[in-house]
Amino acid sequence: MPNVLYLTCSPRGAMSFSRRVGDELVAGLGGAVLARDLAEDPPPMVDAGFSAAILAPVTEAVPPALAVSEALIRELEAADVLVIATPMNNFGVPAVLKAWIDQIVRINRTFRSTPEGKVGLLRDRPAYLVVASGGWFTGPSPTGTPAQPDFLTGYVRTVLETVGIRSLSIVALEGVTRGAEVAAAAIGKARAEIDRLLTQV
Ligand SMILES: Cc1cc2nc3c(=O)[nH]c(=O)nc-3n(C[C@H](O)[C@H](O)[C@H](O)COP(=O)(O)O)c2cc1C
């Protein structure tokens, strides 16, 4: 039974498309779930104390400025599977997800800086990213509107790779603000993709 770390990022509770589909994915994975609602309980913003503490040598005793970071990293280390369900906000990640990323991507703790570039220190594991968006970003809309910029999926992939998590699958829920029919079609497409992904587990 895998330990699943499930991050949700929408403030819209039961109305959230990303959460609804993320919940289905997590149920399909089975296992023990640690659900962290980043919208409800956002990680702190990086401040001066944190910025100084990450540059100090890593010690056994965790400095107070890194306590939240350490707790979030340990949750991630304990997870066999990571699921992130998130809205697209202004072509990118919501601020609460960025705040989580800033806490877990930590030099000499989750990655090392080498002459060849950053090297992840966490073990690889399956990760899933469910993205809900009002418009379309994987390609043009059904009516031919060009795809909007996507600074979310590539960014999250790069960030996870930086800490060593390379096995990322993406489930897109596009056009969900364009009426019930379009939203239902997006959910249907996402469910089919989840079924396909779960057969590979
Ligand atoms: C502040 C804000 C910014 C948004 N930016 C985008 C965007 O750049 N592209 C897009 O397609 N939809 C955008 N949306 C629409 C949301 O992605 C969409 O409503 C999505 O369903 C939200 O996810 P949720 O249903 O899980 O809450 C934005 C919504 C908000 C509130």
Side-chain angles (χ1 to χ4, degrees):
M1 292 284 270
N3 285 319
V4 179
L5 175 60
Y6 178 31
L7 305 179
T8 48
C9 309
S10 170
R12 300 191 323 114
M15 302 287 290
S16 160
F17 290 100
S18 57
R19 180 189 301 259
R20 193 157 132 198
V21 169
D23 285 358
E24 292 180 13
L25 169 58
V26 167
L29 287 165
V33 181
L34 175 61
R36 179 166 277 286
D37 186 337
L38 297 176
E40 186 78 25
D41 185 16
M45 295 282 142
V46 165
D47 59 13
F50 179 94
S51 305
I54 59 167
L55 296 178
V58 175
T59 52
E60 192 90 342
V62 178
L66 297 181
V68 172
S69 165
E70 190 59 32
L72 295 177
I73 290 169
R74 286 181 191 178
E75 278 179 7
L76 182 55
E77 284 177 323
D80 304 307
V81 183
L82 171 66
V83 177
I84 303 175
T86 184
M88 173 179 278
N89 278 3
N90 298 315
F91 316 119
V93 293
V96 294
L97 179 54
K98 179 62 164 59
W100 180 83
I101 288 168
D102 286 343
Q103 294 293 329
I104 65 102
V105 181
R106 220 171 87 202
I107 190 157
N108 295 330
R109 178 63 180 87
T110 54
F111 77 90
R112 272 187 307 117
S113 199
T114 77
E116 290 76 43
K118 292 175 176 171
V119 176
L121 296 176
L122 302 186
R123 72 178 192 286
D124 191 20
R125 73 207 75 193
Y128 300 87
L129 176 66
V130 177
V131 184
S133 60
W136 281 263
F137 61 89
T138 63
S141 79
T143 56
T145 306
Q148 60 182 301
D150 169 17
F151 298 108
L152 194 162
T153 58
Y155 171 67
V156 171
R157 188 180 291 285
T158 299
V159 157
L160 293 178
E161 280 175 3
T162 299
V163 298
I165 300 175
R166 294 179 299 280
S167 305
L168 180 68
S169 302
I170 294 169
V171 177
L173 272 162
E174 298 171 281
V176 291
T177 57
R178 311 297 164 100
E181 213 170 295
V182 181
I187 291 171
K189 201 172 155 197
R191 282 186 180 142
E193 179 60 4
I194 287 172
D195 287 347
R196 192 187 70 78
L197 292 170
L198 290 177
T199 60
Q200 297 172 359
V201 173

